[in-house]
Amino acid sequence: MKKSNRQAGLRTTAIHAGEAPDPATGASAPNLVMSTTYVLDKPLGFSAQDLGDEAPFIYTRWGNPTVRQLEDKLAALEGAEAGLCFASGMAASAAVLLGVLGAGDHLVVSDTNYAGTAELVRKTLPRLGIAVTPVDASDLAAVKAALRPETRLIWTETPANPILRLSDIAALATLAQKAGVKLAVDSTFATPVATRPLDLGADFVVHALTKYVGGHGDALGGAVLGRKADLDALHLEATVHHGGVLSPFNAWLILRGAATLPLRMAAHEAGALEVARFLEGHAKVAKVLYPGLPSHPQHDLAKRQMTNFSGMIAFQVTGDGPALAARMAESLEIVHYAVSLGHHRSLIYWIGTDDLMASSFALEGTQLAAYRAFAGDGVFRLSVGLEDPPDLCRDLAGVLAGA
Ligand SMILES: *Cc1c(COP(=O)(O)O)cnc(C)c1O
């Protein structure tokens, strides 16, 4: 994108940012550069420290032209100074957690989030000498009370998997700044179309590109966005040495997905609102959690913080959840009974509270009660895709009829 277009709208940015016609061929679409190494004009040193204007690419683990185009596009969409891509969302999350925290440090983390993140912070970080306090990140007083002199990072996810609980990014950023700690936000469910955490004061934004940004369920990827100085440090450690880099082919697929992100998010939101209203009116549905519905306990915060309510719905049923899940797996005709989210295809999955506590969250007392206030014994997590919403409602009505 030419410099004069830096003030362009979101749709233009999603399509053009980070890309330029290839100077050698004039190719309009991004080149897919699979080369692992780059021929140099003159000898250089043998380390990633030698990357620079003269030699922007030396070895693909240190940087790749196709991956760089995606990093620049994502940075433009988030309003970030810089972006870094990784092989998966978890590789991006691990890069921030292990890049900021070391032995003796303390992490305050949202007690409700993506199960992989929940398990990483509860199992791996303590083994490395990092203390971890999971808190209900929607409760500012609880976050404040959890801070210690050795706290270095607050990590939240909003809306949080699987119950779509929000946290107030601007308020958390104020708290973090006062305490001199960094704030990282996993914004996978929101995408840069809905929320721009850096504008609200966060230091790092993490995305599983596998979900909405790629959008088609065919490429794993992750990204971290933030200040250039912070990301340069992450680049040298996480990218160059931990080595979990994004494949150029996946970057190329995700670039193509990212170009339509604003249009897809508008359609995901419209579809989700229609399906959420249908579910809310269904006799067999006990509760619907969707940030775009006035019944969501944090609808006011959602209106303030999100410019799109995304396509994720969680709902409880009046009957036996696991039995209905079995029937869904057998008889849904359009919606796929499958994990993951953010794809053009609709996906649904049963997430039982006891199972989730045993495998990932291990909440007790008031924190478990706060989780149960949203989820009860369990929720169906529905990622509303881009199909015609009446078809999705008919498919769901078919299985709910027997519930
Ligand atoms: C899927 C997901 C991740 C992990 O992404 P992968 O690409 O599967 O590693 C992290 N955070 C959230 C919120 C996710 O939904």
Side-chain angles (χ1 to χ4, degrees), residues 88-90 114 157 186 188-189 208 210-211 220-221 341:
S88 65
M90 281 308 297
Y114 183 69
E157 180 178 307
D186 182 336
T188 297
F189 279 33
T210 315
K211 313 296 170 54
L220 285 176
L341 56 107

Side-chain angles (χ1 to χ4, degrees), residues 87-93 113-117 155 157-161 186-189 206-211 219-222 340-341 381:
S88 65
M90 281 308 297
S93 300
N113 49 24
Y114 183 69
T117 314
W155 177 287
E157 180 178 307
T158 182
N161 180 72
D186 182 336
S187 193
T188 297
F189 279 33
V206 173
H207 288 289
L209 304 175
T210 315
K211 313 296 170 54
L220 285 176
S340 203
L341 56 107
R381 183 184 70 187

Side-chain angles (χ1 to χ4, degrees), residues 314-378:
F315 63 96
Q316 293 173 36
V317 291
T318 53
D320 181 345
L324 178 59
R327 218 166 30 254
M328 283 181 177
E330 253 168 46
S331 58
L332 279 170
E333 291 177 357
I334 297 169
V335 180
H336 285 187
Y337 190 84
V339 296
S340 203
L341 56 107
H343 305 165
H344 57 329
R345 295 178 197 87
S346 292
L347 307 172
I348 198 163
Y349 214 75
W350 164 252
I351 301 178
T353 299
D354 288 345
D355 262 7
L356 188 65
M357 293 302 143
S359 65
S360 314
F361 289 5
L363 302 180
E364 293 171 350
T366 53
Q367 283 172 279
L368 180 56
Y371 183 88
R372 280 190 176 276
F374 275 76
D377 292 338

